[in-house]
């Protein structure tokens, strides 16, 4: 067995089953190993940002890492933005980055670069492999590092001679510790705060708190105390709809976020850090919790907030059974396409057990509220603000969950960063319905210009925020990559096409001209 084969066999032994790859010459022994050894699904992405974003989506849904296979420093660099988003989502990912043969590095060949320096800012664990014989153990260490709570991006840099040289056996998987538990004192303090403030408290949730188990415990607490339930503005993953309680989302703009939190006298943090503004603005603070609000951390994101919520529910004597909220779906929208009618169409038609990846930016805002009473579904958001995550993340989620319909709710400007994901969806026949919000602009930046007091942007500011000249033809692009597509211009036709698209299996795209 050579080093490359020992890497793949070690990964398989640890339960890693998928590799999102964009290989080059320095990864050829690994490509050959993927061919020779059955069991690893190898998925080609036509840009490394697709591979890393897909690995993020896969990890969020599968709760385990996929491999990415990337080509030296430049290949890795192309994937960094979505690794940044994955780091914010605390997604476990194992990047395997090929490098020049150890003895060839000194030659400073064209593709030579400092991969460690590129990897460090987005990785929680980085290792340069020194020999073929250590590669199996290095791989097991990378997988354990990625999976160790909270999930991490682990980057393994593998010189090509370490791949092709003879190696020993595959390594056994290393044990991964369970999430640490919240402390008794944190649970007691949270109970005291709830007793003191009742309906005037807000439970602010992230990480494990926004999964099924955490939300069911949160529902018990809310039923007992009347407290508000709220999640982070950009949750990595939240289960919603069906029997789960209604959870508000913290608004994006800092003024609105602070105003919303100001309605409560106390904040309990469950799996979430105290929220901060996305950007600094003149005369606005970084922290969003208004002064004078009592704040307690029940469990930080790296502890098991779901179990902590259960303990808290028991401690305050919350009942075991909570009535499911009434199902409510918006009426079928009519008229022009805008954020409200689009949100209503998706919320009204989305099937039970679907996954919604929301990178719809300004057009997406009403959807979250409109879909509170929808059938059970999973909602994924852009965690790190680096746009171009939606289409790859939806792709990875579909690989992880082949039996679930994935809806990629996607803004046009953001979608253009990693549009190649559509080709991977077509090639892999993934069950993704993409809804493109074609507003032909970077609307959020136009809003930010207005917020900065620039009410009449000049020619340059207009040009730097417009996608209108030339207009992008998304349905032509999608069709060109093998994804069938239609264009719609009214809410009525959107509903008809969405119903059809959701009934089909395999990828399709609806371009919504707004
Ligand atoms: C990697 C990266 N580059 C640039 C930006 C800055 N940026 C934020 S939003 C945005 C445009 C968003 O436009 P679009 O996706 O079309 O959504 P809309 O605002 O029109 O709803 C840009 C360029 C960013 N956040 N991330």
């Amino acid at each position: 067995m050579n080093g490359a084969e020992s890497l793949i066999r070690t990964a398989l032994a640890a339960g890693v089953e998928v590799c999102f790859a964009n290989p080059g010459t320095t990864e050829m022994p690994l490509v050959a190993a993927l061919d020779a050894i059955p069991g690893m699904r190898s998925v080609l992405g036509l840009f490394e940002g697709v591979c890393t974003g897909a690995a993020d989506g896969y990890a969020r849904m599968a709760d385990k890492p996929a491999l990415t296979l990337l080509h030296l420093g430049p290949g890795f660099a192309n994937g960094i933005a979505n690794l940044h988003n994955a780091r914010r989502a605390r997604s476990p990912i194992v990047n395997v980055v090929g490098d020049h043969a150890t003895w060839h590095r000194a030659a400073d060949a064209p593709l030579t670069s400092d991969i460690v320096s590129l990897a460090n800012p987005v990785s929680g664990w980085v290792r340069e492999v020194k020999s073929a014989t250590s590669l199996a153990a290095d791989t097991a260490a990378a997988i354990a590092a990625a999976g160790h709570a909270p999930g991490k991006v682990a980057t393994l840099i593998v010189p090509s001679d370490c791949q092709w040289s003879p190696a020993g056996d595959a390594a056994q998987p290393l044990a991964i510790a369970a999430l640490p538990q919240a402390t008794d004192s944190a649970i007691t303090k949270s109970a005291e705060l709830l007793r003191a403030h009742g309906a005037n408290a807000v439970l602010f949730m992230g990480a494990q708190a926004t999964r099924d188990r955490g939300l069911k415990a949160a529902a018990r607490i809310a039923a007992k105390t009347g407290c508000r339930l709220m999640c982070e503005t950009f949750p990595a993953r939240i289960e919603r709809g069906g029997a789960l309680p209604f959870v508000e989302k913290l608004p994006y703009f800092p003024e609105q976020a602070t105003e919303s939190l100001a309605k409560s006298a106390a904040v309990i943090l469950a799996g979430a850090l105290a929220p901060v503004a996305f950007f600094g603005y003149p005369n606005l603070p970084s922290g969003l919790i208004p002064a004078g609000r009592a704040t307690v951390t029940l469990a930080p994101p790296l502890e098991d907030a779901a179990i902590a919520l259960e303990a808290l529910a028991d401690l305050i004597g919350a009942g075991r059974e909570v009535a499911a909220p009434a199902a409510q779906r918006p009426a079928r929208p009519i008229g022009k396409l805008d954020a409200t009618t689009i949100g209503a169409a998706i919320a009204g038609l989305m099937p039970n057990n679907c996954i919604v990846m929301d990178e719809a930016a300004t057009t997406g805002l009403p959807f979250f509220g409109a879909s509170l009473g929808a059938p059970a579904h999973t909602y994924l958001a852009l965690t790190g603000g680096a746009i171009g995550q939606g289409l790859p993340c939806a792709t990875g989620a579909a690989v992880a969950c082949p039996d679930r319909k994935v809806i990629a709710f996607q803004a046009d400007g953001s979608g253009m960063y990693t549009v190649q994901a559509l080709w991977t969806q077509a090639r892999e026949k993934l069950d993704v319905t993409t809804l493109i919000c074609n507003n032909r602009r970077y609307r959020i930046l136009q809003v930010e210009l207005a917020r900065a007091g620039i009410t009449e942007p000049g020619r340059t500011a207009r040009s730097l925020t417009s996608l209108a000249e030339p207009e992008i033809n998304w349905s032509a692009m999608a069709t060109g990559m093998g994804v069938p597509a239609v264009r719609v211009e009214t809410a009525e036709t959107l509903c008809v096409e969405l119903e059809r698209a959701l009934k089909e299996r395999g990828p399709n795209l609806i371009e919504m001209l707004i």
Side-chain angles (χ1 to χ4, degrees):
M1 180 169 1
N2 66 20
E5 288 160 346
S6 78
L7 184 155
I8 300 301
R9 286 196 190 282
T10 300
L12 286 168
V16 178
E17 303 173 294
V18 179
C19 177
F20 296 102
N22 189 276
T25 304
T26 43
E27 294 78 41
M28 282 305 124
L30 279 162
V31 172
L34 286 166
D35 224 3
I37 303 164
M40 183 76 69
R41 179 172 179 184
S42 299
V43 178
L44 179 62
L46 300 187
F47 173 67
E48 291 83 350
V50 172
C51 300
T52 54
D56 180 15
Y58 178 90
R60 292 194 206 186
M61 294 313 304
D63 279 327
K64 66 177 189 177
L67 302 181
T68 69
L69 181 59
L70 308 170
H71 186 50
L72 301 102
F76 184 85
N78 278 342
I80 282 180
N82 274 333
L83 291 173
H84 162 88
N85 291 320
R87 182 175 78 86
R88 291 287 179 197
R90 302 185 187 91
S91 293
I93 293 178
V94 177
N95 297 312
V96 176
V97 187
D99 195 4
H100 285 308
T102 47
W103 43 264
H104 191 54
R105 278 194 197 145
D108 196 26
L111 271 163
T112 308
S113 66
D114 181 354
I115 307 175
V116 172
S117 291
L118 291 168
N120 269 328
V122 288
S123 309
W125 184 100
V126 179
R127 184 176 294 177
E128 278 185 292
V129 174
K130 300 292 180 216
S131 77
T133 48
S134 74
L135 185 44
D138 293 332
T139 304
I143 293 166
H148 208 85
K152 280 181 205 61
V153 174
T155 300
L156 189 63
I157 301 161
V158 193
S160 50
D161 53 334
C162 300
Q163 299 172 39
W164 71 53
S165 299
D169 288 342
Q172 288 308 305
L174 301 177
I176 294 176
L179 271 176
Q181 304 295 311
T183 63
D184 287 345
S185 113
I187 297 166
T188 313
K189 280 191 193 134
S190 302
E192 281 162 12
L193 208 72
L194 273 175
R195 286 199 193 99
H197 296 283
N200 262 331
V202 55
L203 209 48
F204 186 71
M205 302 183 290
Q208 294 305 312
T210 56
R211 300 292 188 90
D212 237 58
R213 190 169 169 182
L215 291 163
K216 283 179 181 148
R220 291 172 59 202
I221 295 167
K224 170 82 179 174
T225 64
C227 74
R228 291 165 76 193
L229 301 181
M230 190 184 272
C231 70
E232 294 169 312
T233 312
F234 297 103
R237 173 175 170 182
I238 179 169
E239 302 302 325
R240 316 179 66 224
L244 292 173
F246 288 178
V247 176
E248 307 170 52
K249 192 151 69 95
L250 185 69
Y252 171 73
F253 286 115
E255 300 90 333
Q256 292 163 13
T258 304
E259 194 184 305
S260 172
L261 289 170
K263 290 182 203 150
S264 299
V267 183
I268 297 169
L269 301 168
L273 300 173
V276 297
F278 217 75
F279 296 106
Y281 295 93
N283 306 319
L284 287 176
S286 294
L288 295 173
I289 300 177
R293 266 52 183 186
T295 305
V296 161
T297 299
L298 170 66
L302 70 158
E303 289 177 358
D304 195 325
I307 292 182
L309 284 166
E310 286 175 351
L312 178 59
D314 290 344
L315 188 61
I316 62 166
R320 296 242 147 235
E321 298 301 321
V322 178
Q328 53 186 56
R329 303 191 87 170
R332 202 175 170 97
I334 52 169
K336 75 176 176 33
L337 281 179
D338 57 25
T340 306
T341 53
I342 290 170
I346 303 172
L349 297 173
M350 57 200 271
N352 186 42
N353 201 31
C354 68
I355 299 165
V356 180
M357 170 63 233
D358 178 359
E359 195 183 30
T362 57
T363 311
L365 294 177
F367 168 75
F368 198 86
S371 54
L372 278 171
H377 63 280
T378 303
Y379 175 92
L380 311 173
L382 169 62
T383 44
I387 59 177
Q389 177 255 12
L391 298 178
C393 199
T395 304
V399 170
C401 303
D403 301 327
R404 299 180 65 178
K405 175 67 78 177
V406 178
I407 296 175
F409 186 19
Q410 182 62 51
D412 55 352
S414 303
M416 282 300 288
Y417 286 66
T418 43
V419 63
Q420 307 90 330
L422 294 174
W423 182 88
T424 300
Q425 290 175 14
R427 141 123 8 148
E428 298 291 323
K429 301 187 176 54
L430 300 177
D431 200 9
V432 183
T433 291
T434 299
L435 290 151
I436 297 291
C437 311
N438 188 350
N439 64 5
R440 297 168 297 284
R441 71 196 70 203
Y442 285 162
R443 179 150 182 264
I444 185 68
L445 300 191
Q446 296 177 343
V447 173
E448 291 286 14
L449 279 171
R451 278 168 57 81
I454 302 157
T455 45
E456 301 223 344
R459 215 154 62 104
T460 302
R462 285 203 308 275
S463 146
L464 291 179
T465 57
S466 165
L467 310 181
E469 289 167 11
E471 287 188 4
I472 296 164
N473 186 331
W474 272 90
S475 27
M477 245 188 333
T479 312
M481 282 186 271
V483 173
V486 292
R487 285 186 142 187
V488 298
E489 297 188 40
T490 64
E492 289 87 339
T493 46
L494 169 60
C495 289
V496 171
E497 292 297 343
L498 185 54
E499 275 175 323
R500 175 200 50 78
L502 292 172
K503 271 192 213 117
E504 288 171 6
R505 260 191 85 78
N508 48 40
L509 181 142
I510 301 174
E511 178 180 13
M512 304 180 293
L513 290 165
I514 300 169

